[in-house]
Amino acid sequence: DGGITQSPKYLFRKEGQNVTLSCEQNLNHDAMYWYRQDPGQGLRLIYYSQIVNDFQKGDIAEGYSVSREKKESFPLTVTSAQKNPTAFYLCASSITSVAAGELFFGEGSRLTVL
Amino acid sequence: GQQVMQIPQYQHVQEGEDFTTYCNSSTTLSNIQWYKQRPGGHPVFLIQLVKSGEVKKQKRLTFQFGEAKKNSSLHITATQTTDVGTYFCAGRAGGFKTIFGAGTRLFVKA
């Protein structure tokens, strides 16, 4: 079945540690996205990528980094510079078409900083 | 930068009552999408609107895109308990940067 796989589903980390969240898709989509969701709040865009080896900052990129070396993969690193990293992280992908660009989401990764 | 505002933040309804959530963008949008997120789940795509003044229906759900392509609404007729969740609008002003509204959480009392 095609879809987006995020891992791990739950992650605990100590302050000062970097952590990398995995996002893999087999939908053959060119565009991929990372969003952060805090309890009771909407989705805020961290980074997005429209093509391999290219990505753009979203509205809250500080303290995060990404890479897009393969079409299928768009990992997110939450660095120690991110002051409030505890959140629900959602990865999504879409085709690069204005007329049909629905986002397909993974099930998310819930990060807790202890 | 581009902002998408959504109201209300919460809505409590009695089963059978109607529900509407509104979305406004600070910039003209190339398209707007609507998603539903059940508690503990991830957002699931409902529909996309592209044309100015467009209206689309899905059973009891009616979606509208404003003439100026800066606002949109989702209306649910005769809510059911299965409608509970958070409804998000998401807009693109050009390119593929997709900005979400804060969402409207719907509670339905049986």
Side-chain angles (χ1 to χ4, degrees), chain A:
Chain A
D1 288 334
I4 298 181
T5 302
Q6 289 187 241
S7 64
K9 193 168 185 178
Y10 297 95
L11 184 62
F12 298 87
R13 125 181 167 195
K14 294 181 180 179
E15 281 191 27
Q17 291 180 335
N18 291 358
V19 62
T20 297
L21 307 180
S22 170
C23 179
E24 302 280 332
Q25 54 102 355
N26 60 4
L27 299 169
N28 199 33
H29 287 169
D30 284 312
M32 296 188 75
Y33 308 77
W34 274 106
Y35 289 91
R36 168 181 173 143
Q37 186 173 31
D38 294 284
Q41 297 190 30
L43 282 68
R44 291 185 290 167
L45 183 62
I46 304 173
Y47 272 97
Y48 65 107
S49 167
Q50 294 177 209
I51 198 167
V52 174
N53 293 322
D54 187 43
F55 48 83
Q56 287 78 42
K57 293 182 178 180
D59 297 323
I60 57 165
E62 185 175 351
Y64 299 98
S65 66
V66 294
S67 62
R68 188 85 188 276
E69 297 176 1
K70 298 187 300 181
K71 186 176 185 177
E72 302 79 18
S73 179
F74 192 40
L76 173 74
T77 297
V78 185
T79 75
S80 56
Q82 169 49 234
K83 296 182 180 179
N84 295 298
T86 295
F88 187 46
Y89 291 89
L90 286 158
C91 178
S93 72
S94 74
I95 62 173
T96 48
S97 165
V98 173
E102 68 177 276
L103 270 61
F104 292 80
F105 283 88
E107 295 192 349
S109 293
R110 197 169 296 277
L111 172 63
T112 302
V113 174
L114 305 173

Side-chain angles (χ1 to χ4, degrees), chain A residues 33 35 37 98-99 101 103 106, chain B residues 31 33 35 37 48 92 96 98:
Chain A
Y33 308 77
Y35 289 91
Q37 186 173 31
V98 173
L103 270 61
Chain B
N31 65 50
Q33 301 168 355
Y35 293 81
Q37 184 178 26
Q48 176 171 278
R92 289 180 178 173
F96 299 96
T98 305

